[in-house]
Amino acid sequence: MAKRSKIARNERRKAVVARYAERRAELKEVIRRPSTPAAAREAAVRTLAGLPRDASATRVRNRDAVDGRPRGHLRRFGLSRVRVRQQAHAGFLPGVRKASW
C-alpha cells in the first residue's frame, strides 16, 4: 500500500497535466513547425520552460487503482502485478486464466 500523500500528489499532478495539456500542445506545435520564425520559436521555448514542472505528462506515475502500488503496473488492468494475480485467482477478472504447462 502506497502512502496516501504519494497518491494524493500524483492526483494533483494529473489535474495540473490536464489543465496545461492544451497550452503545452500549442507551444510544442509552434516549436515543431519548420515554418516558424526563430524569434517565435525561442519565445515558445521560453514559455514552455516557464510552465510548471508538473504540467508535463511524464511526471504522472502509473499506480495500482486499488492500493496505489507504483511498481509492476499493468495498463490493461490498471492494477499492479500483485493485485492482478490475486484478483485472477479469485476469479474477478473475466477471461483471465492461470497458465499451466
Side-chain angles (χ1 to χ4, degrees):
M1 180 81 180
K3 290 170 53 175
R4 284 184 297 193
S5 60
K6 293 285 189 179
I7 296 170
R9 181 183 303 161
N10 203 46
E11 292 303 316
R12 281 194 304 272
R13 282 183 177 155
K14 286 180 185 177
V16 172
V17 166
R19 189 168 53 233
Y20 285 96
E22 189 176 335
R23 182 72 178 131
R24 283 181 60 85
E26 291 170 1
L27 291 169
K28 285 179 161 253
E29 180 60 27
V30 168
I31 294 166
R32 186 196 64 78
R33 201 176 314 125
S35 62
T36 305
R41 182 176 282 116
E42 275 185 40
V45 168
R46 260 188 264 112
T47 306
L48 187 63
L51 294 179
R53 273 188 179 176
D54 286 346
S56 174
T58 58
R59 301 272 294 184
V60 176
R61 179 77 188 211
N62 288 329
R63 290 183 173 272
D64 186 310
V66 177
D67 64 2
R69 188 177 201 279
R71 307 258 176 133
H73 181 267
L74 302 175
R75 284 179 189 237
R76 181 174 177 184
F77 302 103
L79 303 170
S80 68
R81 61 183 177 77
V82 176
R83 186 71 53 185
V84 167
R85 186 170 187 272
Q86 287 174 349
Q87 292 195 1
H89 283 222
F92 295 137
L93 302 176
V96 176
R97 294 189 339 178
K98 184 176 185 288
S100 61
W101 57 89

